[in-house]
């Protein structure tokens, strides 16, 4: 699912796990991975090739949100989506 706005874009993906219980591997730049814990969900936020990425799992499904916004803006979007934390 892709959402385009005048100031940026968001791409949402949900991946059903395949056999063997393997998780996806995400590429990232040399920066740190930031962790956001909201309710019982743990979000991993990082950069790759200039895009901000968030990855998390829920109920056995792996999700990712890629954005042309900064990692700080993506973190704010996630926090606001959960009712402000």
């Amino acid at each position: 699912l892709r959402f385009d706005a005048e100031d940026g874009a968001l791409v949402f993906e949900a991946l059903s796990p395949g056999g063997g219980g393997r998780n996806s591997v995400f590429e990232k730049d040399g920066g740190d991975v930031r962790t956001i814990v909201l309710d019982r969900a743990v979000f991993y936020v990082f950069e790759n090739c200039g895009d901000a990425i968030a990855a998390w799992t829920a109920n056995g499904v792996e999700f990712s949100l890629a954005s042309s916004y900064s990692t700080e803006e993506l973190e704010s979007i996630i926090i606001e989506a959960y009712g402000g934390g």
Side-chain angles (χ1 to χ4, degrees), residues 12-26 56-64:
F12 176 78
E13 292 183 323
L15 304 168
S16 179
R22 294 181 352 160
N23 290 330
S24 294
V25 175
F26 291 89
W56 69 100
T57 59
N59 298 321
V61 178
E62 189 171 283
F63 299 92
S64 70

Side-chain angles (χ1 to χ4, degrees), residues 13-69:
E13 292 183 323
L15 304 168
S16 179
R22 294 181 352 160
N23 290 330
S24 294
V25 175
F26 291 89
E27 292 186 36
K28 67 175 238 26
D29 291 347
D32 292 335
V33 175
R34 299 198 41 174
T35 303
I36 302 172
V37 179
L38 299 170
D39 196 14
R40 286 176 277 165
V42 180
F43 297 83
Y44 301 96
V45 181
F46 51 93
E47 287 188 14
N48 186 43
C49 297
D51 289 331
I53 312 290
W56 69 100
T57 59
N59 298 321
V61 178
E62 189 171 283
F63 299 92
S64 70
L65 186 60
S67 172
S68 59
Y69 299 110

